């Protein structure tokens, strides 16, 4: 049995270590939520057993002792911290206590965002910045004047009527854009990245070389006053904030007065909703009694004032055990590693699954099964595993292996060179990819099955009636007529459309079966090169690479597709059910394509397709698309807002097509 004294000692030990890493090394070992939990546990023990409180308990001080690298600065007035509330009830309790102590039934507040940065104190004498210090342990901080001077938002001289001497308190922070950019550079240099913007800001501020601080886009928000001499103070905090603003100090635009505690809670909800869109991090809101005289009455406890409280947002990061990693197959066949976690409360909900994105990310983060990992859930974003706490790694962890076979259909999984994503190659048979594959198969430029809409495919797949494209050709009119939104007439039309689609072309079929990276143009090129399906199935890599438009990646995808026995069965079934195409005389040159020898120039924007699609379709018909108009140009296709190419076509007497003209040509040609 662990006694309360032993537990308190263990907690103190852990908290000391984490506080040192957090405040001095700017490199926290655990998420804030974990720290808060340990802290609260110690606090609770100390409340129950006051005799266990030691003078060096982390509950007895505000931060960490100053680092020796900087000169110590003794704060004239201690720099306090804030008590935290994690629930509405705790906020209401705070309010009730403040009402009782002040004797005021109605308390007005100012609600401010709680900036997630680090506290500084700025001292101005006769309006001139003479000293900037970190909070340190609340009594003594570090002299960071040279570094703070490099922050453009910090006025070196106050505007207007400045007091003889004033100490202003605020938060130095790093905007998210600056943080991401900074980490991007560190990563490119192979250096260690920062875990969050606050640590990055702390690291930047505590640089020994101010020139480095100057390169970091730090900002400041001012929210309080320290010691002041030679100035008549306003009577409210709101007026004080206005005063700071008029001195030229940045004050948050998000600050708002609140008539009562309910208005405070409303503002909390509003800021929480805005949180994900803000260009900087906030970790809660701060409620401050507005009346400065009442603040005097309320006073303070050891660590924090009684007139203010921080209402924290649910922590976006927490740590938990990674129990296993499973792979999910998406609609395009992409395999996503999903972390199975010991349930953890994060971002306001209990999370037991989180994404790990892809194998590269797993390796980059060095995440292993069995690790204690940090899970992040920000706003409505899907929870993700952000890092492993490698220092706490147990001995029995093991590496995550990408499965060689698709967990859904058993087809081979490949990861093309240079791609982060691994994919299942069973496009025609994999149930995870079924709907997408069928939608593509029936589309106009593939098998062109008129009337086979997305909703219908959804029903057919949902009921299990259609599992592969071949099953489409076994659908009967009676069966179709029984489906939702299907009359006798449309059912018979659909059966006729399926029947018509059986007489197809090789290029269309190759495109329809959805081999990765094989678009229309490539499908046509493959059809031209091999003339029939079997030679394509049998083609080795060298033969594939000899085809125009086919590089090593496409060749690999084609090979893998035809190596899957299941894909071959579907192709066989299609033929058995009557799908057919004329074979192509491969001795003949592509000159036989309908638009062979014709040169097109595209200008302006088209309504029904992008310029790129138009280009692909023209090429698929054997036409050539060039960038500039000459006498050799056969057609200029002019969409909306055409450029000078249209004038040139008219000057040279080149035939001009509008969008309808192009469509007619493509349809006629196809
Ligand atoms: S007032 C005596 N206002 O949060 C009250 N603090 O967890 C002094 N902070 O030490 C603090 N935004 O570093 C105040 N609008 C805000 C704040 C804020 C962030 C920080 C500050 C403080 C810590 C307490």
């Amino acid at each position: 049995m662990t006694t309360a004294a032993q537990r308190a000692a263990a907690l103190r030990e852990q908290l000391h270590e984490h506080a040192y890493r957090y405040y001095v090394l700017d490199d926290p070992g655990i998420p804030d939520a974990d720290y808060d939990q340990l802290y609260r546990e110690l606090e609770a023990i100390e409340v129950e057993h006051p005799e266990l409180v030691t003078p060096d308990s982390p509950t007895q001080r505000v931060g960490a002792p100053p680092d020796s690298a900087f000169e110590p600065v003794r704060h004239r007035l201690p720099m306090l911290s804030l008590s935290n509330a994690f629930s509405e009830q705790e906020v209401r309790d705070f309010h009730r206590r403040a009402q009782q102590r002040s004797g005021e039934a109605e308390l007005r507040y100012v609600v401010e965002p709680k900036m997630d940065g680090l506290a500084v104190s700025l001292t101005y004498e006769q309006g001139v910045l003479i000293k900037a210090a970190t909070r340190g342990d609340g009594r003594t901080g570090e002299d960071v004047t040279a570094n703070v001077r490099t922050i453009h938002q910090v006025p070196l001289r106050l505007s207007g009527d400045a007091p003889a001497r004033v100490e202003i308190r605020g938060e130095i922070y790093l905007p998210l854009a600056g943080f991401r950019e900074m980490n991007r550079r560190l990563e490119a240099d192979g250096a260690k990245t920062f875990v969050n913007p606050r640590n990055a800001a702390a690291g930047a501020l505590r640089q020994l070389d101010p020139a480095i601080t100057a390169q970091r886009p730090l900002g400041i928000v001012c929210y309080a006053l320290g010691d002041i001499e030679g100035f008549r103070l306003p009577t409210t905090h709101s007026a004080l904030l206005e005063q700071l603003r008029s001195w030229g100090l940045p004050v948050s635009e998000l600050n708002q007065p609140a008539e009562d505690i309910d208005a405070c809670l409303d503002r909390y909800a509003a800021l929480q909703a805005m949180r994900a869109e803000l260009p900087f991090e906030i970790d809660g809101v701060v409620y401050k009694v507005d009346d400065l005289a009442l603040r005097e009455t309320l006073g303070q406890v050891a660590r924090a004032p009684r007139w203010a409280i921080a209402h924290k947002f649910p922590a976006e990061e927490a740590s938990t055990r990674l129990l296993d990693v499973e792979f999910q197959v998406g609609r395009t066949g992409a395999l996503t590693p999903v972390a199975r976690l010991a349930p953890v409360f994060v971002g306001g909900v209990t999370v037991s699954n989180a994404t790990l994105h892809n194998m590269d990310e797993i390796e980059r983060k060095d995440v292993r099964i069995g690790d204690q990992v940090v899970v992040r859930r920000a706003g409505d974003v899907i929870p993700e595993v952000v890092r492993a706490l490698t220092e706490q790694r147990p001995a029995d962890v093991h590496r995550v292996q990408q499965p060689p076979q698709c967990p859904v259909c058993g087809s081979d999984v490949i990861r093309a060179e240079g791609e982060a994503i691994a994919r299942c190659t069973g496009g025609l048979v994999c149930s995870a990819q079924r709907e997408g594959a069928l939608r593509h198969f029936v589309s106009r430029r593939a098998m062109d099955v008129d009337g086979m809409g997305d909703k219908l495919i959804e029903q057919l797949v949902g009921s299990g009636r259609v599992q592969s494209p071949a099953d489409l050709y076994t659908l009967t009119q009676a069966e179709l007529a029984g489906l939702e939104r299907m009359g006798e007439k449309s059912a018979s039309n659909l059966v006729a459309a399926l029947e018509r689609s059986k007489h197809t072309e090789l290029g269309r079929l190759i495109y329809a079966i959805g081999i990765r990276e094989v678009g229309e143009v490539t499908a046509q090129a493959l059809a031209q090169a091999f003339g029939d399906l079997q030679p394509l199935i049998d083609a080795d890599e060298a033969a594939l690479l000899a085809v125009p438009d086919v590089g090593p990646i496409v060749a690999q995808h084609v090979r893998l597709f035809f190596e899957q026995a299941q894909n071959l069965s579907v192709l066989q079934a299609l033929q058995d059910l009557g799908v057919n195409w004329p074979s192509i005389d491969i001795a003949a040159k592509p000159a036989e394509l309908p638009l062979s020898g014709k040169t097109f120039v595209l200008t302006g924007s088209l309504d029904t397709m992008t310029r790129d699609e138009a280009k692909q379709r023209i090429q698929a018909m054997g036409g050539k698309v060039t960038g500039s108009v000459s006498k050799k140009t056969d057609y200029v296709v002019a969409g909306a807002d055409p450029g000078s190419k249209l004038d040139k076509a008219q000057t040279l007497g080149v035939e001009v097509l509008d969008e309808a003209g192009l469509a007619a040509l493509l349809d006629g040609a196809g």
Side-chain angles (χ1 to χ4, degrees):
M1 259 299 276
T2 321
T3 63
Q6 283 167 336
R7 182 65 190 148
L11 286 166
R12 276 199 297 271
E13 188 64 25
Q14 287 182 47
L15 287 163
H16 275 312
E17 168 64 17
H18 292 309
Y20 173 76
R21 293 195 48 166
Y22 179 107
Y23 288 108
V24 181
L25 303 181
D26 301 325
D27 179 26
I30 55 170
D32 290 3
D34 294 20
Y35 183 88
D36 283 341
Q37 211 177 338
L38 296 174
Y39 191 95
R40 294 198 138 208
E41 191 186 340
L42 179 60
E43 237 176 9
I45 297 178
E46 289 178 349
V47 166
E48 204 162 313
H49 307 278
E51 73 282 3
L52 293 179
V53 179
T54 58
D56 71 340
S57 172
T59 57
Q60 302 303 300
R61 73 164 172 212
V62 181
D67 193 354
S68 54
F70 296 89
E71 286 294 310
V73 177
R74 181 97 184 158
H75 302 301
R76 289 199 171 194
L77 291 178
M79 282 182 82
L80 297 182
S81 186
L82 293 167
S83 324
N84 290 325
F86 292 91
S87 67
E88 180 178 332
Q89 192 52 52
E90 288 176 358
V91 170
R92 293 194 183 278
D93 291 347
F94 155 80
H95 175 63
R96 202 171 4 82
R97 285 194 304 271
Q99 281 175 316
Q100 284 163 355
R101 283 196 173 260
S102 66
E104 295 285 329
E106 284 173 16
L107 288 174
R108 270 175 57 91
Y109 293 92
V110 173
V111 184
E112 300 178 3
K114 186 169 186 314
M115 302 296 296
D116 202 2
L118 63 154
V120 285
S121 137
L122 309 173
T123 304
Y124 290 84
E125 275 180 13
Q126 311 303 339
V128 176
L129 177 69
I130 57 140
K131 188 138 310 261
T134 64
R135 185 174 61 194
D137 63 4
R139 293 167 193 284
T140 311
E142 298 159 344
D143 186 335
V144 287
T145 314
N147 292 349
V148 168
R149 276 193 216 277
T150 70
I151 302 172
H152 292 284
Q153 283 191 0
V154 175
L156 296 179
R157 174 183 289 278
L158 299 180
S159 1
D161 216 2
R165 182 191 155 90
V166 62
E167 195 195 324
I168 285 138
R169 281 148 188 202
E171 198 86 351
I172 302 252
Y173 68 97
L174 186 62
L176 282 162
F179 167 67
R180 294 193 181 113
E181 172 63 17
M182 190 168 150
N183 265 357
R184 204 186 52 72
R185 285 201 203 149
L186 287 171
E187 208 173 313
D189 293 347
K192 196 164 180 273
T193 53
F194 284 97
V195 167
N196 58 42
R198 185 195 50 224
N199 289 291
L205 192 67
R206 302 170 73 254
Q207 282 292 333
L208 291 176
D209 179 1
I212 299 180
T213 313
Q215 289 162 15
R216 311 276 157 85
L218 294 170
I220 188 168
V221 163
C222 296
Y223 47 62
L225 210 59
D227 201 25
I228 185 162
E229 285 169 18
F231 202 81
R232 244 180 90 88
L233 275 184
T235 58
T236 62
H237 182 64
S238 343
L240 177 70
L241 291 172
E242 275 319 308
Q243 179 64 67
L244 297 183
R245 199 171 262 144
S246 75
W247 282 333
L249 293 156
V251 172
S252 176
E253 300 288 333
L254 298 171
N255 295 347
Q256 264 188 20
E259 285 306 317
D260 52 29
I261 202 70
D262 288 321
C264 287
L265 291 164
D266 288 347
R267 184 64 184 156
Y268 171 88
L271 284 168
Q272 188 172 21
M274 284 159 71
R275 185 185 187 187
E277 316 304 329
L278 295 175
F280 44 78
E281 286 212 327
I282 62 176
D283 58 345
V285 298
V286 185
Y287 308 135
K288 299 177 177 175
V289 170
D290 196 25
D291 188 317
L292 298 186
L294 283 182
R295 287 192 184 183
E296 289 296 317
T297 317
L298 286 165
Q300 64 185 63
V301 286
R303 185 174 169 258
R306 287 204 193 89
W307 44 261
I309 195 160
H311 188 182
K312 300 281 283 269
F313 292 138
E316 289 184 330
E317 290 190 355
S319 83
T320 187
R321 183 79 51 199
L322 175 62
L323 303 175
D324 199 4
V325 174
E326 287 171 16
F327 285 78
Q328 259 173 14
V329 187
R331 282 189 309 146
T332 59
L335 262 70
T336 310
V338 179
R340 304 289 177 221
L341 306 163
V344 59
F345 191 72
V346 57
V349 298
T350 299
V351 166
S352 42
N353 301 309
T355 180
L356 276 157
H357 301 290
N358 57 54
M359 287 303 290
D360 276 355
E361 285 279 298
I362 294 180
E363 268 147 44
R364 194 173 62 77
K365 294 171 181 164
D366 187 24
V367 172
R368 303 194 197 167
I369 296 167
D371 264 337
Q372 191 73 12
V373 293
V374 176
V375 180
R376 182 175 175 82
R377 181 181 178 272
D380 291 332
V381 182
I382 300 170
E384 57 167 352
V385 172
V386 288
R387 62 197 164 99
L389 298 176
T390 44
E391 288 147 50
Q392 301 180 26
R393 175 165 286 166
D396 56 346
V397 293
H398 49 276
R399 289 181 189 276
V400 181
Q401 305 284 355
Q402 179 183 288
Q405 263 83 40
C406 171
V408 175
C409 73
S411 301
D412 290 346
V413 166
I414 67 148
R415 181 166 158 197
E417 224 170 289
E419 269 191 32
I421 294 170
R423 290 180 196 273
C424 160
T425 51
L428 290 182
V429 289
C430 184
S431 65
Q433 302 173 64
R434 211 162 267 162
E435 273 183 39
L438 286 166
R439 274 201 299 273
H440 174 76
F441 185 82
V442 300
S443 66
R444 206 163 64 80
R445 285 163 28 218
M447 298 301 278
D448 192 17
V449 184
D450 203 18
M452 180 69 76
D454 294 358
K455 285 271 173 281
L456 185 58
I457 291 180
E458 207 178 293
Q459 281 186 65
L460 292 168
V461 169
S463 67
R465 172 61 182 85
V466 170
Q467 307 205 349
S468 86
D471 294 337
L472 292 175
Y473 292 105
T474 65
L475 291 167
T476 64
Q477 185 175 336
E479 228 179 331
L480 286 168
L483 295 174
E484 261 172 53
R485 277 183 289 206
M486 262 286 174
E488 287 292 336
K489 180 82 184 125
S490 32
S492 94
N493 287 345
L494 191 54
V495 169
L498 278 162
E499 212 39 51
R500 268 198 311 278
S501 76
K502 287 183 181 173
H503 309 286
T504 188
E505 292 149 14
L506 180 58
R508 276 182 180 269
L509 179 84
I510 297 172
Y511 174 62
I513 58 182
I515 306 170
R516 260 208 97 62
E517 304 283 339
V518 176
E520 255 183 305
V521 176
T522 310
Q524 290 294 348
L526 290 167
Q528 283 298 327
F530 295 98
D532 212 337
L533 188 59
Q534 197 57 47
L536 173 62
I537 293 175
D538 297 336
D540 62 13
E541 193 182 349
L544 288 166
L545 286 173
V547 178
D549 206 40
V550 173
I553 292 181
V554 173
Q556 192 192 11
H557 283 298
V558 173
R559 284 298 330 128
L560 270 153
F561 185 90
F562 291 121
E563 272 167 19
Q564 308 303 313
Q566 309 189 79
N567 287 343
L568 295 181
S569 327
V570 173
L571 288 169
Q572 189 55 53
L574 284 170
Q575 292 173 79
D576 295 346
L577 287 160
V579 173
N580 67 89
W581 54 88
S583 58
I584 300 170
D585 178 2
I586 57 174
K589 287 286 147 240
E592 285 173 15
L593 283 172
L595 298 181
S596 287
K598 301 287 182 210
T599 302
F600 290 72
V601 173
L602 305 174
T603 176
S605 58
L606 304 174
D607 279 341
T608 57
M609 55 187 128
T610 64
R611 286 240 291 266
D612 222 37
E613 280 164 0
K615 182 173 169 183
Q616 289 210 10
R617 293 189 58 190
I618 292 167
Q619 287 172 340
M621 303 294 170
K624 222 170 105 180
V625 178
T626 66
S628 57
V629 184
S630 74
K631 269 192 284 189
K632 291 192 193 140
T633 309
D634 294 288
Y635 301 103
V636 166
V637 180
D641 302 322
S644 60
K645 290 172 186 170
L646 179 59
D647 303 335
K648 186 136 184 222
Q650 280 155 351
T651 321
L652 293 174
V654 173
E655 187 172 341
V656 176
L657 294 176
D658 60 8
E659 189 160 353
L662 172 67
L665 196 64
L666 289 170
D667 287 342

